[in-house]
Amino acid sequence: MTTKTAPQAKPARAQPARPTVFIDGEAGTTGLEIRRRLAGVAGLAALSIAAEKRKDEAERLAIMRQADLVVLCLPDDAAKEAVALMASLGRDAPKVVDASSAHRVAQGWVYGFAEMDPGQAAAIGEARRVTNPGCYPTGAIALIRPLVEAGLMPADHPVTVNAVSGYSGGGRSMIEAYAAGSAPAFELYGLGLEHKHVPELQTFSKLSRRPMFVPSVGNFRQGMLVSVPLHLDTLPGRPSARDLEAALAKHYAGARLVKVVPADDASSRGGRLDALALNDTDLLELRVFGNERHGQAVLVARLDNLGKGASGAAVQNIGLMLGVET
């Protein structure tokens, strides 16, 4: 007599390890927002360091060794030190996304504006070192670069970029001043015309002449408008505002996060545009407002300075570099 044995259960298939991300400087505004966003990405795992050991170099190095990718949310000098620290790991060094401005125009770094050109997302995906764009340059480059590439704006054109941002982009001291009610309702700054965003703005807009950049901050937490005024008769062929709009639309055709919106769209009728309308999104909207009678136009970018202007862009770059849908 033979006895039947119960069929053996198949061993559980091992789940592939999820890529790991360590945010060096996660206690700041950008770091906290990146951490919050990563929590909603199923294909990633976040590594953390104990609060009391955030400045412990040995502990940071040990976690960097474990990570597939490190995000630097640090002041510029500290970011440079962190990059040198990771370089000491040699072949074990992780990929890195630097959210500071330390490496925006540095050799060996890929600029992390995925929609800037058709091949930029692929370049980010293949890179080991990506520098996250500044919030203001993201809007300005998005407006200017396509026009330079299309021959509608000369590289040496005298460009002025005006912008207003919510105070969350100004660092801890500015945030605390607004929270305490001691900051002004609105102010211009950077009036020495030496703002640290100018080199990347010029480089990636493909401008040979240094642009003027006049930033400002308003008494609202987040949201941003970037504008570029133009005299159309100073441009080659005297293009119309619609010509400029068409060039932008062609450049960003198919882009998921960058949209060219007609100036007569309902959200901007009456010649008004709300800086806060894209808050808590990763969208970037571009518009061209024109007055043909006067031969003038103004290019406008709208975005959330914490979204496409900072943490949202960082998470997008993380996903591209690790092959994870974000």
Side-chain angles (χ1 to χ4, degrees), residues 225-297:
L225 293 173
V226 180
S227 59
V228 180
L230 295 171
H231 289 277
L232 297 174
D233 63 355
T234 67
L235 300 176
R238 300 191 175 192
S240 67
R242 300 290 71 80
D243 292 332
L244 303 182
E245 182 184 283
L248 293 175
K250 181 179 179 180
H251 189 90
Y252 297 107
R256 181 172 60 91
L257 297 177
V258 181
K259 301 297 180 184
V260 179
V261 182
D264 60 358
D265 178 76
S267 65
S268 53
R269 285 178 186 159
R272 297 173 181 269
L273 207 56
D274 179 5
L276 283 62
L278 295 183
N279 284 2
D280 300 317
T281 78
D282 292 335
L283 298 176
L284 169 60
E285 291 182 347
L286 309 177
R287 289 173 172 80
V288 180
F289 297 92
N291 186 306
E292 301 301 331
R293 183 164 65 92
H294 296 301
Q296 296 175 327

Side-chain angles (χ1 to χ4, degrees), residues 122-147:
I124 293 167
E126 295 169 1
R128 296 200 61 81
R129 291 181 170 185
V130 170
T131 176
N132 221 46
C135 50
Y136 290 124
T138 295
I141 293 164
L143 294 167
I144 298 168
R145 184 183 178 106
L147 303 185

Side-chain angles (χ1 to χ4, degrees), residues 15-39:
Q15 295 297 314
R18 292 183 295 169
T20 53
V21 178
F22 169 53
I23 304 170
D24 194 7
E26 70 172 26
T29 303
T30 301
L32 288 170
E33 181 64 16
I34 292 173
R35 183 60 186 260
R36 184 188 71 79
R37 289 166 178 262
L38 290 181

Side-chain angles (χ1 to χ4, degrees), residues 15-305:
Q15 295 297 314
R18 292 183 295 169
T20 53
V21 178
F22 169 53
I23 304 170
D24 194 7
E26 70 172 26
T29 303
T30 301
L32 288 170
E33 181 64 16
I34 292 173
R35 183 60 186 260
R36 184 188 71 79
R37 289 166 178 262
L38 290 181
V41 179
L44 294 175
L47 302 177
S48 286
I49 188 170
E52 67 274 12
K53 294 189 175 182
R54 285 175 183 158
K55 296 185 179 180
D56 185 321
E57 186 172 293
E59 189 71 15
R60 289 169 62 217
L61 189 61
I63 293 180
M64 289 172 175
R65 189 188 297 273
Q66 298 174 41
D68 292 297
L69 185 146
V70 172
V71 186
L72 302 179
C73 298
L74 302 167
D76 287 5
D77 288 343
K80 292 176 182 177
E81 292 170 2
V83 169
L85 188 63
M86 282 184 278
S88 71
L89 294 172
R91 303 181 79 174
D92 292 331
K95 296 181 178 182
V96 58
V97 172
D98 184 8
S100 81
S101 61
H103 299 100
R104 299 263 171 83
V105 294
Q107 292 294 316
W109 290 77
V110 173
Y111 196 62
F113 183 8
E115 297 82 7
M116 185 171 70
D117 278 325
Q120 196 66 18
I124 293 167
E126 295 169 1
R128 296 200 61 81
R129 291 181 170 185
V130 170
T131 176
N132 221 46
C135 50
Y136 290 124
T138 295
I141 293 164
L143 294 167
I144 298 168
R145 184 183 178 106
L147 303 185
V148 174
E149 290 183 338
L152 294 171
M153 178 185 290
D156 65 350
H157 192 70
V159 172
T160 296
V161 178
N162 301 301
V164 60
S165 173
Y167 58 77
S168 57
R172 178 173 296 176
S173 60
M174 181 177 286
I175 293 171
E176 290 176 348
Y178 275 96
S182 59
F186 179 89
E187 65 178 340
L188 295 176
Y189 66 100
L191 294 175
L193 303 180
E194 291 285 356
H195 196 284
K196 65 180 182 179
H197 284 339
V198 173
E200 66 176 295
L201 196 165
Q202 178 177 359
T203 298
F204 295 106
S205 293
K206 293 190 169 182
L207 293 172
S208 59
R209 182 194 294 253
R210 189 177 189 274
M212 292 187 65
F213 174 50
V214 184
S216 60
V217 61
N219 190 12
F220 50 94
R221 184 174 185 273
Q222 63 197 93
M224 174 171 284
L225 293 173
V226 180
S227 59
V228 180
L230 295 171
H231 289 277
L232 297 174
D233 63 355
T234 67
L235 300 176
R238 300 191 175 192
S240 67
R242 300 290 71 80
D243 292 332
L244 303 182
E245 182 184 283
L248 293 175
K250 181 179 179 180
H251 189 90
Y252 297 107
R256 181 172 60 91
L257 297 177
V258 181
K259 301 297 180 184
V260 179
V261 182
D264 60 358
D265 178 76
S267 65
S268 53
R269 285 178 186 159
R272 297 173 181 269
L273 207 56
D274 179 5
L276 283 62
L278 295 183
N279 284 2
D280 300 317
T281 78
D282 292 335
L283 298 176
L284 169 60
E285 291 182 347
L286 309 177
R287 289 173 172 80
V288 180
F289 297 92
N291 186 306
E292 301 301 331
R293 183 164 65 92
H294 296 301
Q296 296 175 327
V298 59
L299 316 174
V300 183
R302 176 164 66 179
L303 64 158
D304 180 353
N305 61 289

